[in-house]
Amino acid sequence: MLAIDAAAYRSPWRRHHPAAKALLAGTLLICAVSLPPWPGAPITAAITLAVALGWARVPPGMLLRAARTPVSFALTGSLTFLITISADGIGWAPDGARRMADVVARCVAALLCQLLFASTTPVADALPRLIRVGVPAVLVEVALLIYRMLFVVLDTTRTIRTAQAGRLGHRSISATWRSLGGLGSAVFVRSFDRARRLEVGLAGRGYTGALTVAIKEIPLRTRFLAVAPLPGLLAVVATLTLERG
């Protein structure tokens, strides 16, 4: 199980309805992408971080590990804003640093909003309920199967890498490349075989085009639902106050 899934199952917000948590994280996400990047994005990020660590009690270490790779991707991708290409050649963009800061600030704020929802709501609680709001059942079932197969792929990759390391498969650069090639091919073949066996198993159990799963009923708590939009409203008020000031 991934660390973010384990945190979601242990979250004290597990008893709250996913719709209420989606409302809270969604309003903050709207603030992150619609308010001015300065000071809107930093304010939204700070409020989201305070809600995640203080109210939802998300483990800080897990949150940092989950945000590390996406933030690194945003940083490296936004470096292109620093360079301009014209008829005179390649040079530094005059407003590149500001545009880079705007993009990174929005990305960090939006990422924290999504991690707030993901670290407090298990996939098994959120995906099946999408059918009730009009999402096609086929899309939900495909998403659930991909989510299930993800753990199979990760476990297979971990097992093969351990076996390769035990056989000194990473003792040199050439050996490492050979091991990576073997790892990729083995994971593809085993994943394809698992998917085929899953299809045969579903057909043997009378699959008719719908996967019926039991959904745990979670009450929609009125108090939490009423408080959910307040962090987003606070971000809007703080941003407008600072801009006018």
Side-chain angles (χ1 to χ4, degrees):
M1 180 177 290
L2 299 176
I4 194 168
D5 292 290
Y9 278 102
R10 292 194 299 262
S11 173
W13 279 14
R14 178 79 191 280
R15 64 182 185 275
H16 296 302
H17 198 281
K21 292 179 283 187
L23 176 63
L24 192 154
T27 53
L28 287 171
L29 181 60
I30 292 175
C31 293
V33 300
S34 60
L35 291 176
W38 301 98
I43 289 176
T44 304
I47 293 175
T48 306
L49 194 60
V51 170
L53 299 180
W55 187 8
R57 296 201 294 275
V58 177
M62 185 282 303
L63 191 64
L64 178 62
R65 290 190 299 271
R68 182 172 51 195
T69 300
V71 170
S72 300
F73 179 79
L75 285 173
T76 55
S78 60
L79 289 176
T80 56
F81 289 110
L82 300 176
I83 301 174
T84 182
I85 301 176
S86 62
D88 299 329
I90 301 176
W92 294 105
D95 60 341
R98 179 187 59 81
R99 295 173 63 188
M100 176 182 174
D102 292 349
V103 170
V104 172
R106 285 194 187 278
C107 287
V108 172
L111 174 65
L112 289 175
C113 298
Q114 297 174 66
L115 289 178
L116 172 62
F117 180 78
S119 59
T120 56
T121 309
V123 175
D125 289 349
L127 277 182
R129 287 180 169 83
L130 294 180
I131 300 177
R132 299 179 178 178
V133 296
V135 179
V138 174
L139 295 180
V140 175
E141 291 173 3
V142 170
L144 284 172
L145 289 175
I146 292 175
Y147 175 72
R148 176 65 185 89
M149 290 298 297
L150 175 64
F151 294 99
V152 175
V153 172
L154 291 176
D155 183 66
T156 302
T157 303
R158 189 179 301 111
T159 302
I160 295 176
R161 284 183 61 88
T162 302
Q164 289 177 341
R167 293 176 173 85
L168 301 180
H170 305 287
R171 65 183 183 278
S172 63
I173 296 179
S174 59
T176 300
W177 281 110
R178 285 196 302 270
S179 297
L180 287 176
L183 174 65
S185 60
V187 169
F188 174 78
V189 171
R190 293 193 182 187
S191 300
F192 190 83
D193 180 66
R194 291 288 184 92
R196 183 187 60 81
R197 284 192 286 169
L198 178 62
E199 180 184 7
V200 172
L202 289 175
R205 289 170 174 81
Y207 177 68
T208 59
L211 292 174
T212 304
V213 297
I215 302 177
K216 180 182 178 181
E217 292 299 328
I218 302 177
L220 191 60
R221 302 175 188 272
T222 308
R223 183 179 301 177
F224 186 87
L225 186 64
V227 177
L230 294 184
L233 180 62
L234 177 61
V236 173
V237 172
T239 301
L240 295 179
T241 302
L242 288 178
E243 278 195 325
R244 292 177 181 177

